[in-house]
Amino acid sequence: MTAMNSNQDVPEDVLRFTAYLQALRRIPDDEELSLITTILEDSDATAQSAVLRHLDQRADTLLRGEGYVPWAQAMTHVVAPRPFLIQRLHEWSLFRAVILSQPWSLDALTRASNWLQLKIAESQSAIEAVEILAQAGRTKRIRNTARTTLVQRSRG
């Protein structure tokens, strides 16, 4: 395998993905929504992937603060044409409710994606939900992860 000597060796979609992420990292908060709207005009999956990565990073950063709710509401309007991105925002909101001991429903937890169930199963802040997932998580991995989290919590 040879080392890449220039951008010519890098596929164009990888270059776009990287450029989108760099732009999203550098953009001031008040210009974020506009940039995401522009990026999503690219119909390629690369654009959605970059926005998804950004959403995950921003949601994780804002999750426990007061800025999360207005950010998530504004972001929902921007990504509305993209069902997967809407789903991810909803799941971040459910995760937030679970870890902050806000109201959440068992139905929402059991219908959550594997991604969210696993994220909750790993959380030390969501013991009630982790206990449920230890018994009723969708996959063996989720159930085992939840059990491991419970064991770690009981030891520590």
Side-chain angles (χ1 to χ4, degrees), residues 68 86-96 111-117:
Y68 176 82
I86 291 292
Q87 176 186 346
R88 183 57 66 93
L89 280 168
H90 287 297
E91 289 191 329
W92 273 108
S93 294
L94 175 57
F95 182 65
R96 182 176 193 268
R111 286 185 297 117
S113 70
N114 290 359
W115 173 84
L116 180 57
Q117 284 194 3

Side-chain angles (χ1 to χ4, degrees), residues 114-125:
N114 290 359
W115 173 84
L116 180 57
Q117 284 194 3
L118 187 59
K119 189 162 187 61
I120 292 170
E122 295 169 339
S123 175
Q124 294 286 330
S125 303

Side-chain angles (χ1 to χ4, degrees), residues 37 40-41 48 75-86:
T37 300
L40 290 176
E41 289 172 0
Q48 181 168 301
M75 194 61 63
T76 297
H77 294 292
V78 171
V79 301
R82 305 287 180 120
F84 183 76
L85 296 176
I86 291 292

Side-chain angles (χ1 to χ4, degrees), residues 22-94:
Q22 288 174 350
L24 287 163
R25 270 194 297 274
R26 292 182 182 136
I27 197 80
D29 289 351
D30 62 339
E31 296 175 26
E32 176 187 31
L33 300 176
S34 177
L35 179 58
I36 289 174
T37 300
T38 300
I39 290 171
L40 290 176
E41 289 172 0
D42 178 349
S43 61
D44 188 79
T46 301
Q48 181 168 301
S49 295
V51 171
L52 176 64
R53 170 100 40 102
H54 176 74
L55 288 180
D56 285 346
Q57 291 168 344
R58 284 283 283 161
D60 194 42
T61 300
L62 296 170
L63 196 62
R64 295 178 187 271
E66 295 175 9
Y68 176 82
V69 172
W71 172 82
Q73 289 171 342
M75 194 61 63
T76 297
H77 294 292
V78 171
V79 301
R82 305 287 180 120
F84 183 76
L85 296 176
I86 291 292
Q87 176 186 346
R88 183 57 66 93
L89 280 168
H90 287 297
E91 289 191 329
W92 273 108
S93 294
L94 175 57

